[in-house]
Amino acid sequence: MYLNSSKNSNNILIPFRQATSQSFLTFAPEFKKRQMNNLLKLSAIICLAIFASCKRGEAPQPTPSHFLHYDTIFVNKESALFASLAFAQASEDYFSRQIQAPAQIAFNPTQLAFVILPFPGRVVNSHVRLGQSVRAGTPLFEVASADFIEVQRDFFQAQSERDLAHRNLERTKQLHENGVASQRDLEEATNEFRIADEELRNATAAVKIFHSEPKNMRVGEPLVIRSPIAGEVIDNNVVLGQFFNEDENAVTVANLQKMWIEAHVSERDIRFVSIGSTVELRVNAYPDKIFSAEIFHISEMVDEETRMINVRAECENPDNLLKAGMFASVVISATPQRRIIVPATAIMQGERQNFVFVRASETSFVKRYVDVETIVEGNAMITSGLQVGEKVVSSGGIYIISDGGFFMR
């Protein structure tokens, strides 16, 4: 009985299980679809909620102060960057480049005389002292010389022979007029006189080198040595009784009213120097005094060791303040040339070349490369890259570099 009942129950359960499985398989796809739709809707709602919450907590974006386009920067007029900028207009003016160079004071060699005896002799008298001012022809000292005595003899002998030839010619002329002397005798007398006269002129010229008045000269008198130029005795080696050879320097006379300035200019700066340029110089002895000179010669040679060129100028020295051998510092003013001028603060230094910011419009600025010759008293002298009338950023350009993103190139 038990077995039958169990068997029947199993028979009843089998159809029920089969019916339940078939029902589940029928409704599973619709259930999954509804579940997926609900899941997508829920995800969308969550995303919208998160986005809304983010939007509510986000701060408003400020207006940019600038933006860069190639080498041009556009600046917001209301920004702090624009307020920090100052502007200047490029102008044009004459500019004279100032060239500094070392120099040395020297005597004018054309006004420097080394008095050397023409003959060996012994000093018998002296007329000057060291530092004395003399004129051209002033007696300096006297020398007894045998060679000079011989020159005197030659002069007086030539003078005597000329006088004799002249008397002979006058007598022959009278005899020829009276018919006593022939024409040949007259011609011979005339020729002898011409030769004697020429000899006297040569002897006189030789004596005048040493004596200003040959006619007043006496045989045996000492040779008077005179100053060849006007100036000051800067060296005196004369001692009474001293014997000088003909190649020894006895006295040196120099004109100190004008001194030479020998400046040494760098090879790269010589193109700015010209004859007639003004030179201002200072010496250590008078640091507060400025001396002025004018260039009269530029050497045609470059020193191979220093690559310097010698430039000479002449300077007035009425008070004898400048001494030969002094070192000096000179400033040479080159020939004035027209240059574009902007404030030095407008120049920005790049790695390869300087540049400025040119104002293209009210709020736009272009980076422009320029060639700067020099800076004088806060102004930059521009040789290329700018035109007269262009406006540049004279102050605040560094902020454009840092905020604008320009590279220092």
Side-chain angles (χ1 to χ4, degrees):
M1 188 72 181
Y2 173 74
L3 293 171
N4 292 333
S5 123
S6 176
K7 183 177 180 181
N8 293 333
S9 63
N10 287 337
N11 293 333
I12 294 170
L13 289 173
I14 289 171
F16 175 78
R17 289 175 182 174
Q18 292 176 349
T20 304
S21 297
Q22 291 176 356
S23 175
F24 177 79
L25 292 173
T26 304
F27 293 100
E30 293 182 5
F31 178 75
K32 287 183 179 179
K33 186 176 182 180
R34 284 196 301 270
Q35 257 189 334
M36 187 64 70
N37 289 336
N38 292 335
L39 207 60
L40 291 174
K41 290 179 181 178
L42 181 61
S43 299
I45 292 171
I46 292 172
C47 291
L48 288 173
I50 294 173
F51 181 75
S53 64
C54 290
K55 290 293 288 183
R56 285 195 300 269
E58 189 180 63
Q61 293 294 328
T63 304
S65 62
H66 60 270
F67 66 91
L68 180 67
H69 182 68
Y70 295 105
D71 277 354
T72 302
I73 186 170
F74 298 86
V75 182
N76 185 353
K77 191 175 182 181
E78 305 299 329
S79 66
L81 175 60
F82 188 86
S84 66
L85 303 180
F87 309 100
Q89 188 170 346
S91 60
E92 187 179 33
D93 199 357
Y94 281 100
F95 164 70
S96 180
R97 184 184 180 91
Q98 306 295 305
I99 302 168
Q100 295 185 351
Q104 191 171 6
I105 311 300
F107 290 117
N108 181 348
T110 64
Q111 295 295 315
L112 179 66
F114 298 96
V115 180
I116 300 175
L117 274 66
F119 307 112
R122 190 175 302 278
V123 177
V124 296
N125 199 0
S126 177
H127 302 289
V128 295
R129 65 183 185 278
L130 190 64
Q132 179 179 340
S133 296
V134 296
R135 296 180 179 180
T138 299
L140 300 178
F141 58 95
E142 298 178 14
V143 176
S145 172
D147 293 337
F148 181 60
I149 293 176
E150 186 173 349
V151 170
Q152 292 173 325
R153 287 174 179 169
D154 292 341
F155 169 75
F156 286 116
Q157 182 177 353
Q159 188 178 46
S160 176
E161 291 178 356
R162 192 261 185 195
D163 292 342
L164 180 60
H166 182 264
R167 289 195 296 271
N168 183 45
L169 176 61
E170 292 298 325
R171 184 173 61 255
T172 303
K173 284 182 178 180
Q174 292 179 359
L175 293 174
H176 182 267
E177 291 175 357
N178 295 326
V180 177
S182 65
Q183 181 65 29
R184 181 178 178 180
D185 294 336
L186 179 60
E187 292 176 356
E188 289 179 354
T190 302
N191 188 48
E192 290 176 359
F193 173 76
R194 288 176 180 174
I195 294 174
D197 188 63
E198 184 66 25
E199 290 292 337
L200 177 62
R201 282 199 296 268
N202 293 337
T204 302
V207 172
K208 280 188 175 181
I209 297 176
F210 316 113
H211 200 291
S212 58
E213 295 293 339
K215 293 180 179 180
N216 300 329
M217 183 176 59
R218 298 189 305 272
V219 177
E221 70 177 4
L223 172 63
V224 180
I225 305 299
R226 302 175 183 274
S227 176
I229 63 172
E232 183 177 310
V233 178
I234 62 172
D235 189 20
N236 184 13
N237 300 316
V238 174
V239 179
L240 289 178
Q242 181 179 1
F243 186 86
F244 280 100
N245 292 317
E246 55 185 344
D247 57 347
E248 291 184 80
N249 180 38
V251 176
T252 304
V253 180
N255 184 354
L256 306 179
Q257 297 302 301
K258 292 184 179 181
M259 302 294 286
W260 276 15
I261 314 300
E262 296 185 349
H264 308 286
V265 179
S266 173
E267 182 180 2
R268 67 175 181 272
D269 292 330
I270 198 64
R271 67 183 187 275
F272 302 112
V273 181
S274 60
I275 294 177
S277 297
T278 303
V279 175
E280 292 183 352
L281 66 143
R282 296 176 185 269
V283 293
N284 292 333
Y286 313 101
D288 298 328
K289 187 174 180 59
I290 299 177
F291 299 87
S292 180
E294 183 176 318
I295 294 175
F296 68 89
H297 179 261
I298 300 173
S299 177
E300 301 299 332
M301 299 178 61
V302 179
D303 190 299
E304 294 183 358
E305 295 182 358
T306 63
R307 307 309 301 174
M308 296 288 185
I309 298 174
N310 195 11
V311 175
R312 291 184 175 91
E314 191 171 58
C315 179
E316 297 288 342
N317 187 34
D319 300 325
N320 293 352
L321 299 180
L322 297 178
K323 311 296 183 182
M326 278 184 171
F327 288 105
S329 175
V330 305
V331 177
I332 303 174
S333 298
T335 303
Q337 297 178 340
R338 297 186 71 86
R339 290 289 183 264
I340 303 296
I341 302 176
V342 297
T345 53
I347 306 300
M348 301 287 104
Q349 294 184 352
E351 293 182 358
R352 293 177 296 175
Q353 192 174 358
N354 296 323
F355 61 90
V356 297
F357 290 110
V358 179
R359 194 173 191 180
S361 67
E362 186 177 8
T363 58
S364 63
F365 306 93
V366 178
K367 181 180 180 181
R368 182 89 60 79
Y369 291 106
V370 295
D371 291 324
V372 181
E373 180 175 336
T374 187
I375 295 178
V376 179
E377 298 180 353
N379 292 323
M381 307 300 161
I382 308 297
T383 57
S384 65
L386 275 180
Q387 299 294 328
V388 178
E390 289 186 309
K391 288 187 177 181
V392 298
V393 176
S394 61
S395 178
I398 189 66
Y399 301 119
I400 295 180
I401 293 174
S402 59
D403 293 343
F406 280 108
F407 291 102
M408 298 290 284
R409 54 184 173 84

